[in-house]
Amino acid sequence: MKLAPHLHRIGNDIVAAYLVDLPEGITLVDAGLPGHWHDLQRELDEIGRPLSDIRGLVLTHGDSDHIGFAERLRREAGVPVFIHAADSHRVRTGEKPKTPMGPARLGPTAGFFAYGIRKSALRTHHVSVVTEVADGDVLDLPGAPVVIGMPGHSPGSIAVHVPAVDAVFVGDALTTRHVLTGRTGPQPAPFTDEPEEARDSLDRLAAVSASWVLPGHGAPWQGSPSEIAASVRAAG
């Protein structure tokens, strides 16, 4: 789904990944669920780009609904996978603390898990080889993505700012659709390791200049990062 020139979404409001399509190549942000591999192929076909044009995949964190096709892309196409060092163990092993599920409604929760089954969530492979990144890094990938540390949802959660497409990709640092309650609008994401730390990390978005804020779950947000961060703080 094309959002703007050179900016595309893979998936939907339940689970999303993103594609930055520039003349020098493609940068992916997150890898959704394993079944999104086919969505990626369709998006590439629509824009007339081969898989070999993908230069790198940047993961906002190491949870299973963000790493879906990452290992397949790395193994079959040789695409390097980037993740914050603090989530490196999580993405390679799947080990993570158990967090309270929090509020939920039957319909949206069932829909979330049903979508996961349709998109082969139970077949997620962890990523055996990763390149570790740190807060402040500017990656040598199309669009020169900037890593912004956003710990809280997980220790190595990051936002990825790509000035070339006027967008910041926030993973689960915030959400615009709560996958367990169905509530829409800016709010904290469920399954967060350290909710207070996650809220504090939202201050990191205040200095980011972008007109798109793109979460891993929920509708894309058109507006300033500082505005949506303030809305999430108010909601939380």
Side-chain angles (χ1 to χ4, degrees):
M1 174 184 175
K2 184 175 182 178
L3 299 175
H6 310 295
L7 181 60
H8 306 257
R9 182 172 77 161
I10 300 163
N12 58 18
D13 286 3
I14 300 177
V15 179
Y18 297 93
L19 183 154
V20 175
D21 163 33
L22 295 169
E24 64 268 32
I26 292 169
T27 296
L28 297 179
V29 180
D30 282 336
L33 298 164
H36 285 127
W37 175 261
H38 304 293
D39 301 71
L40 170 63
Q41 300 278 12
R42 284 194 295 271
E43 199 69 29
L44 290 172
D45 287 344
E46 287 182 10
I47 63 177
R49 303 290 292 261
L51 192 67
S52 59
D53 276 359
I54 299 174
R55 302 289 182 254
L57 165 62
V58 187
L59 299 175
T60 59
H61 60 293
D63 286 348
S64 60
D65 55 346
H66 292 256
I67 72 170
F69 58 75
E71 177 63 7
R72 182 173 184 177
L73 186 67
R74 187 201 67 80
R75 189 178 64 248
E76 295 186 10
V79 173
V81 178
F82 299 83
I83 193 161
H84 192 282
D87 264 25
S88 178
H89 182 75
R90 183 179 295 209
V91 79
R92 287 185 287 106
T93 66
E95 294 178 8
K96 57 178 289 187
K98 291 185 177 180
T99 56
M101 193 167 77
R105 295 175 56 223
L106 180 59
T109 300
F112 175 57
F113 287 107
Y115 183 74
I117 291 171
R118 290 201 304 275
K119 290 295 185 180
S120 304
L122 299 179
R123 298 180 182 178
T124 299
H125 292 279
H126 302 297
V127 187
S128 56
V129 179
V130 297
T131 299
E132 295 182 354
V133 302
D135 179 40
D137 285 354
V138 180
L139 306 183
D140 186 18
L141 293 173
V146 181
V147 175
I148 302 169
M150 300 284 291
H153 184 78
S154 70
S157 286
I158 62 171
V160 182
H161 182 208
V162 184
V165 291
D166 201 22
V168 58
F169 307 85
V170 295
D172 285 1
L174 60 87
T175 186
T176 58
R177 182 185 187 277
H178 195 294
V179 296
L180 302 182
T181 66
R183 180 173 175 262
T184 59
Q187 60 197 294
F191 302 116
T192 291
D193 289 4
E194 300 290 344
E196 290 188 12
E197 186 178 25
R199 282 193 293 272
D200 290 342
S201 288
L202 293 171
D203 291 340
R204 304 293 310 280
L205 296 177
V208 177
S209 177
S211 59
W212 287 95
V213 179
L214 301 172
H217 309 278
W221 170 276
Q222 285 190 273
S224 78
S226 59
E227 288 174 350
I228 194 171
S231 296
V232 175
R233 279 189 168 278

